[in-house]
Amino acid sequence: MPDIRYPRAYIHAAATTRYGRHEGSSALDLMAQAANQALAQSGLQRDDIDGVLCGYATTFPHLMLADLLSEKLGLQPHYAHGMQMGGATGAAMVMLARTLLRAGTCRRILVVAGENRLTGQAVDTSIQTLAQVGEPDTEVPNGASVPAYYALLASAYMHQTGLDRETLAEFAVLMREHAASHPHAHLRDPIAVDQVLASKPIATPLNLLDCCPISDGAAALVLSADEGPVQVIGDGQAHRHQHLSAMRDVLDTGAARACARALAEAKLESQHIDYLAIYDSFTITLVMLLEELGYAPRGSAGARLRHGDFAASGELPLNTHGGLLSFGHSGVAGGLAHLVEAWTQLAGRAGERQITPRRRALVHADGGVLSAHVSLVLQAESTR
């Protein structure tokens, strides 16, 4: 058994850059900007940071990115680690940071990710790069893309559950409503269901506004064994497939398994959660995850949305920054922004965007084609 010197892990600070277009800024520049904001917010000195976890960047494929970033920031950690788990990377880094803190390997850890995916490479290059998550002998050679993989998932899921296109569009509208009040969001102009349904077809049944934008941006958190405003009290992972063609059951992708592990460790039930931060690379991603995680019956997430449950003022606020669909998707930092927002709301640091006090958040991220799943349970140390 490991020597558990520090049994708890707290998030002390969390920050994002503005998401959107950052002409002339490299992935490393954006990471440094977010990291410096988080470090300043934490009140820690650079010598206090003894661990650095850094997400990969497709526009900056350096072999030692965590070391490179540490050098740029003037840090000399005794643990540095670069990670790759697709969209689940941000949550996985926080899970690893918690493990390192609880084992006594580190005491204060910087978690950071960022990418200039919008301005740093052509859109076609981004699409081709991401498509490599597909099976190399059958899926990729036939021209599949990430939107195509998720469109196939959507078709199967809609067939089995009765989910309709209008419901998917309603979730795109909700994410835009939430992003409208966030100054760092990429897309803030309001949209309507009819606009989503009339937007450019990308891969049937998904249209342009069912898909997240490609963004530049970065996010960073500081975790510590010292008591802070928000504690990570549970985590879990699940991996049932890598490729879409190997998925056993569209109703059991692994999300519920990861969530069950996180809730069990936190000694909580799903009804104890009062804030949701759920990965939403596409509208179908968000709906499938909400339903597999148990926060709506199959085919009925739209009913909860229309009841107002997922609104910022609702029973179970969902992605109050706008999620990937509107806040923006800058690689690993896209998913990490969900964690930043969950922390910001639980810690009571959202200013004019602050929702009513919340105690516990479920953060769920996925990588690949609903392939790698990571769930985290966050708990505010007080309800202010």
Side-chain angles (χ1 to χ4, degrees), residues 361-376:
L362 174 69
V363 179
H364 186 86
D366 87 83
V369 190
L370 292 176
S371 309
H373 293 274
V374 181
S375 291
L376 302 169

Side-chain angles (χ1 to χ4, degrees), residues 45-57:
Q45 301 301 310
R46 291 177 192 263
D47 288 346
D48 294 327
I49 301 297
D50 54 14
V52 174
L53 301 179
C54 184
Y56 72 95

